Amino acid sequence: MAVKDNSGFAEQLHNAASSAAPQEAPQQPRANQQTQSQGRVNGAHRLSEINSVLRRPISRSSGSEVVNRFAESFKQLLGTDNVDYQIHTMDNNNVVIGPMSLILVTMNVTSGGKKYVMTYTLIVEGSGDRLAPRLIPIDQNGVRRQIEIVTTPSELYSASMVAKIEAYLKGKLGTNDVVIVDAGLSVIPSEVDSEDLEKARLVLFNATGALMSTVENIFPEYKMAFNIGMVQNGQEKLTTRVDYHRSQKADYYGMPVRSDISLQLSASINDQSNDIEHQQNRNILEVSGFVDLLYAPAPKQNPNPYYQGQVDTTIYQPRFIITRSDTMIDANTMELQLLGLAQAQVIAHRQWAWTFSPNHAAKGIDITDIGAVGYEDETLITDKGRQRIDTKAKAFGPAEFQALIGAYLKPDLVYSMDIQEGGDLSWLLDVLTAAASGDHPAYEHIVEAADNLTGGLFSQELTHISGAGQFLHPKVDRVPMGYYMTDGVMRDIRDVDYLAVLNMFGKSDIDTVVKWSEASNNPNIPMEIRLEEQMKIIEAVTGRPVIKAYAQRVTFGATFLSALVNSCTKAGLMINLSNPAGDFIPQSQRVGFDSSYYSTAAVNTGFVQAPGQGYGVGGNRQYNRTRWGQF
């Protein structure tokens, strides 16, 4: 039953949301207190809700039109066949919801005689004004000051907003006898054209995928998990293509995503026939990211003349930061995400180094030039100051490149992933953030998905590894996300990494490089101070960056990655590398490396096959109930 009395419903909604909080005792009215006029909505309201309280027939802002255009596009795309899906709008000019309007994509499910409404929330950034920054007071070295942090739309999503959404939907349905299930949220950036039907289709595709995955996670009768056993023995093979294109991709909303390295997994029929009918190939998933540097010099060696071991002179720890992990099929599940993470191990052993190959086409300051590591080599300092290594010189060939990598960068690769807050795929990936923060149901969800993928072998493999430790490193960093403009093109601000800062400031201002390193990785510094320092340096490099969101940067443990790769291999997974960049011969070897979260997975395990060799074989095909988010 639709409620048409908007004025009365706004009050009901406010009262329903307020009832979830402790109520103060009512105050007695003063003798001179005047009664409000009948047409005015009673009750206390925030000033930010003034538009919905003092509403008028036509809004001053075009935000309502933007919301309506998106909603109408979604309805048009759903058509009349998808009867279990509905589109609802919560316009902040008509409903007390906050500074921005919402679009709710819902899915009706009945299980065990009970009715559920899965709800995916879209915050429409273009429906409201720019949010004011948060001013955070801190004490730094005995001095009290305020730090200004950009507020992003995803931060509006709170327990209060969830309560208002629930009250709104139950009011629209005309019943309380229904369970409203939160299936996640994302923010539609203001840059998205509400009249772009293709973009609207991608937004809706992602929303309905989130709804269906939530159903599968909660109700076992709907669950069908991907399993390595689906790769048919002798008939199909999986191939990974690695591209070092230093390019960028886009998320579903068109926001730029840094993609220096991409790994695309595809499946094909293992048939030698020339018949075009048998040359079937399907792209399955793609993992993209870039290799960042962590300043991690080796401990100073004991100058013992009798010491015969090899001295570690490396300065940096390479870290592959996954900026995008998405399937190229209709479904996107945790099992498929883990498969993508497993295939990303193909670059674990110095194959990542090719991303630093000299770029002779670069103009001006090349922020990707690995030669900047020379600025931090104290042995290269001359009377002219710090010196870079000239990687663009004619004499600098493949042997010199490999020597540079071997001398300065450790061989093992750390694996991290940026999980955007309120991003298009946060409904799927924020379980990793939860697990890193110690959420046990989230941890169980990941383990169960890994067992689904490997036919139960993941848990068995884990018991064989001593010192299990953390699956995900407990230190989770928060990084700004957004874009800057160059030559009229939007670029991901994550172009600004350690190497970029080293190229920009290493020659004349090494202190700024140190500040970036500390702001990015020192957990002893308050996060607000670190974000402030990062933003100062990003602005110095890019000019006027636009901050759209924040991401949680999680780091995977070596124990987890080893168990994942080993169990995938035992389940029959074999990856054919279609375009290996070539063997990388390290010029120096690190001694005594034993970090608990650095990856040493996929070392001669048979997991990676040379081009044209091997094919996937079947494992047990089974699945278990997912408990993360279970009722």
Side-chain angles (χ1 to χ4, degrees), residues 35 72 78 82 294 433 449 480 508 538 567:
T35 306
E72 289 305 314
L78 280 174
N82 297 299
L294 295 168
T433 304
S508 59
I538 290 173
S567 60

Side-chain angles (χ1 to χ4, degrees), residues 73-74 76-77 193-202:
S73 295
F74 296 156
Q76 177 183 339
L77 290 163
D193 184 355
S194 59
E195 296 183 346
D196 186 338
L197 195 61
E198 178 59 23
K199 196 69 67 184
R201 189 187 64 80
L202 287 174

Side-chain angles (χ1 to χ4, degrees), residues 526-558:
M527 182 62 70
E528 292 80 9
I529 295 178
R530 293 166 60 191
L531 284 173
E532 180 188 51
E533 195 62 52
Q534 286 182 62
M535 284 309 306
K536 287 180 181 178
I537 297 174
I538 290 173
E539 288 174 1
V541 175
T542 66
R544 299 181 62 184
V546 178
I547 304 303
K548 303 300 295 184
Y550 295 101
Q552 301 286 325
R553 181 167 291 173
V554 301
T555 299
F556 297 97

